[in-house]
Amino acid sequence: MQKSSRVIHRFLGVYIVFVFLIVGFVIVTLVREEVKTSRFQARYLSAISEQLSFKLASGPSSSIRYPEYGPYDQRLGYTILPEVIKRLEQSGFKITSQASFSPMMAELADYGLFNIYHEKTQAGLRITDKADQVVFNAVYPAYGYPNFKAIPPLILDTCFL
């Protein structure tokens, strides 16, 4: 009996080591493939990106998230939007429409990730009257190029050392 139980234990030990080697080989192969192609990451992130959206909806949005930090957001005033909106509402203004985030976009923003949007090269405020005449207009930075092709070659080819 003892001899057969030793054989069984030895067989089980070899079997367990063999299974661990196969599992290890499969894991190493999958990791190597992922490092070379990023195929699994692309599938995962594509599935998430399909759930990211926002739309303009009437009234204030319950899903909007304002940035709290970041040099770009601070420079263009996005980090102080909640405070500005609060002061404006206290002065009698109201939000007539605002961006509404998809649930996944709001969840990712809650994790501290940046929201998707087309980054602007300029920001500002333009106020018009009922006749669509400009009452106030401020843009920061004041000067810029509408696209890369509009940059003059002399400026584009300038090298800063």
Side-chain angles (χ1 to χ4, degrees), residues 121 143-160:
T121 56
Y143 301 103
Y145 297 102
N147 56 48
F148 191 74
K149 289 182 178 181
I151 302 172
L154 180 62
I155 293 174
L156 190 60
D157 295 336
T158 302
C159 179
F160 295 99

Side-chain angles (χ1 to χ4, degrees), residues 5 10-11 16 21 24 45 59 76 87 92 127-128 133 137 145:
S5 69
R10 178 176 277 168
F11 176 75
I16 289 172
L21 285 174
L45 293 177
L76 296 180
R87 288 193 321 236
I127 301 174
T128 58
Q133 297 296 313
N137 189 31
Y145 297 102

Side-chain angles (χ1 to χ4, degrees), residues 132-143:
D132 204 29
Q133 297 296 313
V134 177
V135 176
F136 177 82
N137 189 31
V139 180
Y140 176 82
Y143 301 103

Side-chain angles (χ1 to χ4, degrees), residues 3-152:
K3 192 173 185 181
S4 65
S5 69
R6 277 193 224 151
V7 170
I8 290 173
H9 284 298
R10 178 176 277 168
F11 176 75
L12 282 175
V14 169
Y15 180 75
I16 289 172
V17 168
F18 182 72
V19 167
F20 276 121
L21 285 174
I22 295 295
V23 169
F25 176 76
V26 168
I27 289 172
V28 166
T29 303
L30 289 174
V31 168
R32 206 167 107 210
E33 181 69 17
E34 177 63 13
V35 168
K36 285 169 57 176
T37 65
S38 299
R39 181 175 33 178
F40 302 116
Q41 176 182 321
R43 283 186 189 160
Y44 176 72
L45 293 177
S46 292
I48 289 176
S49 72
E50 289 175 359
Q51 301 173 49
L52 301 179
S53 65
F54 59 90
K55 63 182 178 182
L56 189 62
S58 61
S61 172
S62 61
S63 65
I64 197 162
R65 307 296 193 270
Y66 297 103
E68 297 176 10
Y69 54 88
Y72 180 80
D73 293 325
Q74 289 173 334
R75 185 175 73 240
L76 296 180
Y78 298 140
T79 56
I80 61 170
L81 275 175
E83 174 74 22
V84 170
I85 291 170
K86 183 178 174 185
R87 288 193 321 236
L88 287 170
E89 287 175 336
Q90 290 171 349
S91 297
F93 291 89
K94 65 179 182 174
I95 296 174
T96 57
S97 59
Q98 195 171 31
S100 179
F101 292 175
S102 66
M104 178 59 78
M105 191 162 167
E107 184 178 342
L108 292 178
D110 290 340
Y111 285 132
L113 299 176
F114 294 107
N115 294 317
I116 56 168
Y117 62 92
H118 295 288
E119 193 169 305
K120 300 177 208 155
T121 56
Q122 289 182 315
L125 175 65
R126 179 180 161 166
I127 301 174
T128 58
D129 61 13
K130 290 181 182 180
D132 204 29
Q133 297 296 313
V134 177
V135 176
F136 177 82
N137 189 31
V139 180
Y140 176 82
Y143 301 103
Y145 297 102
N147 56 48
F148 191 74
K149 289 182 178 181
I151 302 172

